mmCIF file of all heavy atoms in Angstrom:
data_model
loop_
_atom_site.group_PDB
_atom_site.id
_atom_site.type_symbol
_atom_site.label_atom_id
_atom_site.label_comp_id
_atom_site.label_asym_id
_atom_site.label_seq_id
_atom_site.Cartn_x
_atom_site.Cartn_y
_atom_site.Cartn_z
ATOM 1 N N VAL A 77 119.959 149.192 141.928
ATOM 2 C CA VAL A 77 119.041 149.341 140.818
ATOM 3 C C VAL A 77 118.809 148.004 140.135
ATOM 4 O O VAL A 77 117.698 147.660 139.728
ATOM 5 C CB VAL A 77 119.557 150.421 139.812
ATOM 6 C CG1 VAL A 77 118.655 150.479 138.591
ATOM 7 C CG2 VAL A 77 119.641 151.784 140.475
ATOM 8 N N ILE A 80 116.306 146.165 141.963
ATOM 9 C CA ILE A 80 114.960 146.674 141.733
ATOM 10 C C ILE A 80 114.372 146.063 140.455
ATOM 11 O O ILE A 80 113.162 145.806 140.356
ATOM 12 C CB ILE A 80 114.960 148.207 141.649
ATOM 13 C CG1 ILE A 80 115.313 148.805 143.012
ATOM 14 C CG2 ILE A 80 113.613 148.775 141.159
ATOM 15 C CD1 ILE A 80 115.527 150.278 143.016
ATOM 16 N N LEU A 81 115.234 145.792 139.504
ATOM 17 C CA LEU A 81 114.758 145.145 138.271
ATOM 18 C C LEU A 81 114.357 143.692 138.521
ATOM 19 O O LEU A 81 113.951 142.984 137.609
ATOM 20 C CB LEU A 81 115.836 145.205 137.176
ATOM 21 C CG LEU A 81 116.152 146.584 136.610
ATOM 22 C CD1 LEU A 81 117.409 146.551 135.800
ATOM 23 C CD2 LEU A 81 114.982 147.095 135.764
ATOM 24 N N LYS A 114 126.195 162.330 141.968
ATOM 25 C CA LYS A 114 125.127 163.329 141.900
ATOM 26 C C LYS A 114 124.123 162.999 140.777
ATOM 27 O O LYS A 114 122.966 163.350 140.860
ATOM 28 C CB LYS A 114 125.723 164.709 141.644
ATOM 29 C CG LYS A 114 126.634 165.198 142.758
ATOM 30 C CD LYS A 114 125.865 166.037 143.761
ATOM 31 C CE LYS A 114 126.689 166.477 144.926
ATOM 32 N NZ LYS A 114 127.942 167.106 144.638
ATOM 33 N N SER A 115 124.618 162.376 139.695
ATOM 34 C CA SER A 115 123.692 162.055 138.586
ATOM 35 C C SER A 115 124.080 160.683 138.034
ATOM 36 O O SER A 115 125.250 160.329 138.018
ATOM 37 C CB SER A 115 123.836 163.041 137.432
ATOM 38 O OG SER A 115 123.809 164.342 137.845
ATOM 39 N N TYR A 116 123.070 159.981 137.559
ATOM 40 C CA TYR A 116 123.364 158.720 136.893
ATOM 41 C C TYR A 116 122.257 158.325 135.960
ATOM 42 O O TYR A 116 121.121 158.787 136.079
ATOM 43 C CB TYR A 116 123.604 157.603 137.946
ATOM 44 C CG TYR A 116 122.407 157.283 138.784
ATOM 45 C CD1 TYR A 116 121.423 156.419 138.337
ATOM 46 C CD2 TYR A 116 122.256 157.863 140.045
ATOM 47 C CE1 TYR A 116 120.306 156.125 139.101
ATOM 48 C CE2 TYR A 116 121.142 157.587 140.814
ATOM 49 C CZ TYR A 116 120.176 156.717 140.341
ATOM 50 O OH TYR A 116 119.060 156.453 141.122
ATOM 51 N N LEU A 117 122.610 157.460 135.028
ATOM 52 C CA LEU A 117 121.609 156.797 134.176
ATOM 53 C C LEU A 117 121.938 155.311 134.279
ATOM 54 O O LEU A 117 123.075 154.937 134.105
ATOM 55 C CB LEU A 117 121.746 157.224 132.698
ATOM 56 C CG LEU A 117 121.513 158.692 132.331
ATOM 57 C CD1 LEU A 117 121.817 158.908 130.840
ATOM 58 C CD2 LEU A 117 120.081 159.098 132.616
ATOM 59 N N VAL A 118 120.946 154.504 134.555
ATOM 60 C CA VAL A 118 121.154 153.042 134.551
ATOM 61 C C VAL A 118 120.160 152.454 133.585
ATOM 62 O O VAL A 118 118.977 152.799 133.603
ATOM 63 C CB VAL A 118 120.947 152.402 135.922
ATOM 64 C CG1 VAL A 118 121.248 150.923 135.890
ATOM 65 C CG2 VAL A 118 121.821 153.074 136.993
ATOM 66 N N ALA A 122 119.282 144.165 128.035
ATOM 67 C CA ALA A 122 118.294 143.112 127.807
ATOM 68 C C ALA A 122 118.182 142.765 126.329
ATOM 69 O O ALA A 122 118.203 143.661 125.496
ATOM 70 C CB ALA A 122 116.957 143.543 128.323
ATOM 71 N N GLU A 125 113.970 139.851 125.910
ATOM 72 C CA GLU A 125 113.322 139.838 127.218
ATOM 73 C C GLU A 125 114.145 139.173 128.295
ATOM 74 O O GLU A 125 113.640 138.895 129.384
ATOM 75 C CB GLU A 125 111.931 139.201 127.119
ATOM 76 C CG GLU A 125 111.105 139.880 126.043
ATOM 77 C CD GLU A 125 109.620 139.775 126.281
ATOM 78 O OE1 GLU A 125 109.218 139.088 127.223
ATOM 79 O OE2 GLU A 125 108.876 140.376 125.484
ATOM 80 N N ILE A 127 117.268 139.723 130.885
ATOM 81 C CA ILE A 127 118.194 140.744 131.386
ATOM 82 C C ILE A 127 119.550 140.083 131.614
ATOM 83 O O ILE A 127 119.667 139.153 132.404
ATOM 84 C CB ILE A 127 117.682 141.358 132.696
ATOM 85 C CG1 ILE A 127 116.336 142.061 132.443
ATOM 86 C CG2 ILE A 127 118.682 142.356 133.254
ATOM 87 C CD1 ILE A 127 115.756 142.741 133.658
ATOM 88 N N TYR A 141 122.626 164.772 133.109
ATOM 89 C CA TYR A 141 122.061 164.136 131.921
ATOM 90 C C TYR A 141 120.640 164.571 131.642
ATOM 91 O O TYR A 141 119.862 164.869 132.553
ATOM 92 C CB TYR A 141 122.107 162.608 132.104
ATOM 93 C CG TYR A 141 123.491 162.115 132.463
ATOM 94 C CD1 TYR A 141 123.745 161.574 133.711
ATOM 95 C CD2 TYR A 141 124.551 162.305 131.574
ATOM 96 C CE1 TYR A 141 125.041 161.185 134.061
ATOM 97 C CE2 TYR A 141 125.825 161.908 131.916
ATOM 98 C CZ TYR A 141 126.058 161.350 133.171
ATOM 99 O OH TYR A 141 127.326 160.981 133.481
ATOM 100 N N ASP A 142 120.339 164.610 130.334
ATOM 101 C CA ASP A 142 118.965 164.977 129.951
ATOM 102 C C ASP A 142 118.384 163.894 129.019
ATOM 103 O O ASP A 142 119.012 162.844 128.787
ATOM 104 C CB ASP A 142 118.939 166.346 129.268
ATOM 105 C CG ASP A 142 119.789 166.406 128.001
ATOM 106 O OD1 ASP A 142 120.147 165.307 127.468
ATOM 107 O OD2 ASP A 142 120.100 167.491 127.551
ATOM 108 N N ALA A 143 117.201 164.169 128.462
ATOM 109 C CA ALA A 143 116.501 163.150 127.678
ATOM 110 C C ALA A 143 117.315 162.745 126.425
ATOM 111 O O ALA A 143 117.309 161.596 126.044
ATOM 112 C CB ALA A 143 115.136 163.688 127.268
ATOM 113 N N LEU A 146 119.959 160.327 127.358
ATOM 114 C CA LEU A 146 119.359 159.018 127.585
ATOM 115 C C LEU A 146 119.099 158.296 126.241
ATOM 116 O O LEU A 146 119.327 157.107 126.134
ATOM 117 C CB LEU A 146 118.056 159.188 128.389
ATOM 118 C CG LEU A 146 117.310 157.905 128.730
ATOM 119 C CD1 LEU A 146 118.173 156.952 129.538
ATOM 120 C CD2 LEU A 146 116.038 158.225 129.539
ATOM 121 N N GLN A 147 118.670 159.073 125.252
ATOM 122 C CA GLN A 147 118.425 158.460 123.933
ATOM 123 C C GLN A 147 119.689 157.848 123.386
ATOM 124 O O GLN A 147 119.714 156.680 122.957
ATOM 125 C CB GLN A 147 117.921 159.514 122.960
ATOM 126 C CG GLN A 147 116.467 159.842 123.116
ATOM 127 C CD GLN A 147 116.035 160.987 122.217
ATOM 128 O OE1 GLN A 147 116.824 161.842 121.851
ATOM 129 N NE2 GLN A 147 114.759 161.001 121.849
ATOM 130 N N SER A 150 120.860 154.853 125.495
ATOM 131 C CA SER A 150 120.048 153.618 125.349
ATOM 132 C C SER A 150 120.446 152.865 124.076
ATOM 133 O O SER A 150 120.406 151.620 124.050
ATOM 134 C CB SER A 150 118.554 153.920 125.359
ATOM 135 O OG SER A 150 118.193 154.658 124.224
ATOM 136 N N TYR A 154 121.769 149.136 124.203
ATOM 137 C CA TYR A 154 121.127 148.068 123.429
ATOM 138 C C TYR A 154 122.199 147.265 122.669
ATOM 139 O O TYR A 154 122.148 146.031 122.625
ATOM 140 C CB TYR A 154 120.129 148.668 122.453
ATOM 141 C CG TYR A 154 119.322 147.613 121.724
ATOM 142 C CD1 TYR A 154 118.240 147.028 122.359
ATOM 143 C CD2 TYR A 154 119.659 147.181 120.455
ATOM 144 C CE1 TYR A 154 117.503 146.032 121.739
ATOM 145 C CE2 TYR A 154 118.945 146.190 119.825
ATOM 146 C CZ TYR A 154 117.860 145.611 120.468
ATOM 147 O OH TYR A 154 117.144 144.621 119.865
ATOM 148 N N ALA B 32 110.612 156.750 123.097
ATOM 149 C CA ALA B 32 111.493 157.650 122.342
ATOM 150 C C ALA B 32 112.822 157.867 123.038
ATOM 151 O O ALA B 32 113.825 158.187 122.415
ATOM 152 C CB ALA B 32 110.805 158.982 122.128
ATOM 153 N N MET B 33 112.808 157.666 124.362
ATOM 154 C CA MET B 33 114.061 157.868 125.123
ATOM 155 C C MET B 33 114.894 156.611 125.320
ATOM 156 O O MET B 33 116.113 156.652 125.249
ATOM 157 C CB MET B 33 113.725 158.479 126.493
ATOM 158 C CG MET B 33 113.393 159.943 126.438
ATOM 159 S SD MET B 33 113.223 160.622 128.092
ATOM 160 C CE MET B 33 111.506 160.371 128.377
ATOM 161 N N VAL B 34 114.202 155.487 125.599
ATOM 162 C CA VAL B 34 115.012 154.303 125.923
ATOM 163 C C VAL B 34 114.842 153.180 124.896
ATOM 164 O O VAL B 34 115.502 152.131 125.005
ATOM 165 C CB VAL B 34 114.672 153.737 127.329
ATOM 166 C CG1 VAL B 34 114.960 154.762 128.412
ATOM 167 C CG2 VAL B 34 113.246 153.260 127.425
ATOM 168 N N ALA B 37 112.502 148.048 123.081
ATOM 169 C CA ALA B 37 112.917 146.782 123.676
ATOM 170 C C ALA B 37 113.047 146.927 125.196
ATOM 171 O O ALA B 37 112.487 146.137 125.951
ATOM 172 C CB ALA B 37 114.208 146.290 123.067
ATOM 173 N N ILE B 38 113.766 147.965 125.619
ATOM 174 C CA ILE B 38 113.984 148.170 127.046
ATOM 175 C C ILE B 38 112.667 148.518 127.722
ATOM 176 O O ILE B 38 112.312 147.982 128.785
ATOM 177 C CB ILE B 38 115.039 149.271 127.305
ATOM 178 C CG1 ILE B 38 116.423 148.751 126.887
ATOM 179 C CG2 ILE B 38 115.047 149.707 128.763
ATOM 180 C CD1 ILE B 38 117.543 149.753 127.025
ATOM 181 N N LEU B 41 110.423 145.585 128.233
ATOM 182 C CA LEU B 41 110.903 144.791 129.370
ATOM 183 C C LEU B 41 110.464 145.409 130.708
ATOM 184 O O LEU B 41 109.993 144.710 131.586
ATOM 185 C CB LEU B 41 112.435 144.727 129.279
ATOM 186 C CG LEU B 41 113.112 143.921 130.349
ATOM 187 C CD1 LEU B 41 113.376 142.534 129.805
ATOM 188 C CD2 LEU B 41 114.392 144.533 130.759
ATOM 189 N N LEU B 42 110.603 146.724 130.789
ATOM 190 C CA LEU B 42 110.218 147.395 132.057
ATOM 191 C C LEU B 42 108.725 147.294 132.293
ATOM 192 O O LEU B 42 108.279 147.072 133.434
ATOM 193 C CB LEU B 42 110.635 148.885 132.018
ATOM 194 C CG LEU B 42 112.142 149.174 131.890
ATOM 195 C CD1 LEU B 42 112.414 150.652 131.849
ATOM 196 C CD2 LEU B 42 112.905 148.531 133.058
ATOM 197 N N ASN B 44 106.770 144.877 131.181
ATOM 198 C CA ASN B 44 106.471 143.472 131.524
ATOM 199 C C ASN B 44 106.835 143.161 132.974
ATOM 200 O O ASN B 44 106.115 142.463 133.685
ATOM 201 C CB ASN B 44 107.213 142.516 130.584
ATOM 202 C CG ASN B 44 106.406 142.296 129.307
ATOM 203 O OD1 ASN B 44 105.174 142.275 129.334
ATOM 204 N ND2 ASN B 44 107.092 142.143 128.179
ATOM 205 N N LEU B 45 108.020 143.674 133.399
ATOM 206 C CA LEU B 45 108.445 143.459 134.785
ATOM 207 C C LEU B 45 107.431 144.070 135.757
ATOM 208 O O LEU B 45 107.058 143.452 136.757
ATOM 209 C CB LEU B 45 109.808 144.131 135.035
ATOM 210 C CG LEU B 45 111.063 143.450 134.503
ATOM 211 C CD1 LEU B 45 112.279 144.359 134.745
ATOM 212 C CD2 LEU B 45 111.279 142.118 135.238
ATOM 213 N N LEU B 98 110.271 152.885 139.030
ATOM 214 C CA LEU B 98 111.310 152.203 138.248
ATOM 215 C C LEU B 98 112.096 153.194 137.391
ATOM 216 O O LEU B 98 113.331 153.189 137.367
ATOM 217 C CB LEU B 98 110.628 151.147 137.370
ATOM 218 C CG LEU B 98 111.448 149.991 136.838
ATOM 219 C CD1 LEU B 98 112.228 149.300 137.937
ATOM 220 C CD2 LEU B 98 110.529 148.964 136.167
ATOM 221 N N SER B 100 112.457 156.332 137.953
ATOM 222 C CA SER B 100 113.255 157.174 138.840
ATOM 223 C C SER B 100 114.500 156.462 139.303
ATOM 224 O O SER B 100 115.587 157.041 139.360
ATOM 225 C CB SER B 100 112.468 157.597 140.081
ATOM 226 O OG SER B 100 111.460 158.465 139.674
ATOM 227 N N ALA B 101 114.341 155.170 139.649
ATOM 228 C CA ALA B 101 115.493 154.407 140.104
ATOM 229 C C ALA B 101 116.526 154.290 138.996
ATOM 230 O O ALA B 101 117.744 154.319 139.249
ATOM 231 C CB ALA B 101 115.041 153.001 140.548
ATOM 232 N N LEU B 102 116.065 154.184 137.769
ATOM 233 C CA LEU B 102 116.997 153.983 136.650
ATOM 234 C C LEU B 102 117.654 155.289 136.209
ATOM 235 O O LEU B 102 118.848 155.325 135.918
ATOM 236 C CB LEU B 102 116.262 153.360 135.441
ATOM 237 C CG LEU B 102 115.800 151.933 135.620
ATOM 238 C CD1 LEU B 102 114.929 151.523 134.449
ATOM 239 C CD2 LEU B 102 116.999 150.961 135.690
ATOM 240 N N THR B 103 116.838 156.344 136.098
ATOM 241 C CA THR B 103 117.374 157.553 135.472
ATOM 242 C C THR B 103 117.133 158.795 136.305
ATOM 243 O O THR B 103 117.200 159.902 135.768
ATOM 244 C CB THR B 103 116.728 157.772 134.087
ATOM 245 O OG1 THR B 103 115.362 158.073 134.251
ATOM 246 C CG2 THR B 103 116.873 156.539 133.215
ATOM 247 N N GLU B 104 116.923 158.629 137.575
ATOM 248 C CA GLU B 104 116.579 159.741 138.451
ATOM 249 C C GLU B 104 115.413 160.508 137.824
ATOM 250 O O GLU B 104 114.432 159.924 137.475
ATOM 251 C CB GLU B 104 117.789 160.635 138.669
ATOM 252 C CG GLU B 104 118.905 159.970 139.406
ATOM 253 C CD GLU B 104 120.002 160.933 139.696
ATOM 254 O OE1 GLU B 104 120.724 161.262 138.762
ATOM 255 O OE2 GLU B 104 120.119 161.351 140.859
ATOM 256 N N VAL B 106 115.252 162.031 134.821
ATOM 257 C CA VAL B 106 115.269 162.268 133.372
ATOM 258 C C VAL B 106 113.955 161.806 132.721
ATOM 259 O O VAL B 106 113.355 162.569 131.946
ATOM 260 C CB VAL B 106 116.504 161.610 132.715
ATOM 261 C CG1 VAL B 106 116.444 161.797 131.204
ATOM 262 C CG2 VAL B 106 117.782 162.191 133.254
ATOM 263 N N ILE B 107 113.523 160.588 133.022
ATOM 264 C CA ILE B 107 112.270 160.115 132.426
ATOM 265 C C ILE B 107 111.061 160.767 133.138
ATOM 266 O O ILE B 107 110.141 161.243 132.493
ATOM 267 C CB ILE B 107 112.166 158.591 132.470
ATOM 268 C CG1 ILE B 107 113.257 157.936 131.646
ATOM 269 C CG2 ILE B 107 110.807 158.126 131.964
ATOM 270 C CD1 ILE B 107 113.273 156.421 131.644
ATOM 271 N N ARG B 109 110.640 163.556 134.561
ATOM 272 C CA ARG B 109 110.372 164.944 134.158
ATOM 273 C C ARG B 109 109.475 164.993 132.920
ATOM 274 O O ARG B 109 108.622 165.853 132.793
ATOM 275 C CB ARG B 109 111.699 165.665 133.843
ATOM 276 C CG ARG B 109 112.320 166.334 135.039
ATOM 277 C CD ARG B 109 113.340 167.363 134.624
ATOM 278 N NE ARG B 109 114.486 166.796 133.938
ATOM 279 C CZ ARG B 109 115.558 166.322 134.554
ATOM 280 N NH1 ARG B 109 115.646 166.357 135.877
ATOM 281 N NH2 ARG B 109 116.573 165.818 133.874
#
Side-chain angles (χ1 to χ4, degrees):
Chain A
V77 175
I80 292 173
L81 291 167
K114 297 267 176 51
S115 313
Y116 63 83
L117 297 175
V118 182
E125 307 206 355
I127 298 181
Y141 308 113
D142 60 17
L146 181 58
Q147 282 175 332
S150 67
Y154 188 80
Chain B
M33 283 188 269
V34 300
I38 290 177
L41 182 96
L42 298 179
N44 275 326
L45 283 174
L98 201 51
S100 291
L102 291 171
T103 68
E104 294 185 286
V106 177
I107 297 179
R109 270 198 296 274

